Amino acid sequence: QVQVVESGGGLVQAGGSLRLSCTASGRTFSSVAMGWFRQAPGKDSEFVAAISRWSGGSTYYADSVKGRFTISRDNAKKLVYLQMNNLKPEDSAVYFCAAKEDYSDRYFYTRRDYAYWGQGTQVTVSS
């Protein structure tokens, strides 16, 4: 069993920045690939970003956040980060961190790939 916990959400003005953090416990941190998803009210869950299991690992982004968001991880600290810059009101959502046990160097971008999920953290961007 892997426990996933996010932190760092909040309220920010359009154009501002936030950094979300996520940790996964219960497995060796370097054996889990990680991803971020988000869900706005009345909308389906949306993939945001993913990173493979290594610090400095392979990354992948949704087109809607490419160039504005950066996913990274520090395996020594057992943390994954989502740095969000130039935020827009349409980025407002609950952001979920997800973990998948993996021993390759792959990233994963579909919900069904991930077995473990955090409770989510609210990000609100005001115009």
Side-chain angles (χ1 to χ4, degrees):
Q1 191 75 10
V2 177
Q3 294 77 43
V4 180
V5 179
E6 311 95 336
S7 62
L11 173 64
V12 64
Q13 288 189 329
S17 298
L18 278 176
R19 188 176 77 165
L20 305 183
S21 300
C22 173
T23 189
S25 59
R27 291 289 187 275
T28 302
F29 193 68
S30 60
S31 66
V32 290
M34 304 292 291
W36 288 96
F37 292 76
R38 66 187 181 186
Q39 188 165 20
K43 294 188 176 181
D44 292 335
S45 175
E46 176 188 18
F47 166 75
V48 176
I51 189 166
S52 63
R53 67 188 184 108
W54 300 113
S55 290
S58 303
T59 59
Y60 185 66
Y61 297 91
D63 287 343
S64 58
V65 306
K66 201 173 295 182
R68 299 188 298 122
F69 291 12
T70 302
I71 188 171
S72 62
R73 64 189 295 162
D74 184 336
N75 284 359
K77 296 182 179 179
K78 299 182 181 180
L79 286 169
V80 170
Y81 304 103
L82 185 68
Q83 178 67 43
M84 305 184 294
N85 297 330
N86 191 22
L87 282 159
K88 304 175 181 180
E90 52 263 43
D91 294 318
S92 296
V94 178
Y95 282 69
F96 295 90
C97 182
K100 171 183 171 55
E101 289 187 84
D102 184 71
Y103 296 91
S104 68
D105 190 30
R106 295 173 58 196
Y107 50 74
F108 302 88
Y109 52 86
T110 60
R111 286 187 59 88
R112 64 177 180 270
D113 286 319
Y114 291 93
Y116 307 103
W117 294 81
Q119 293 299 306
T121 185
Q122 178 71 48
V123 172
T124 303
V125 184
S126 63
S127 56

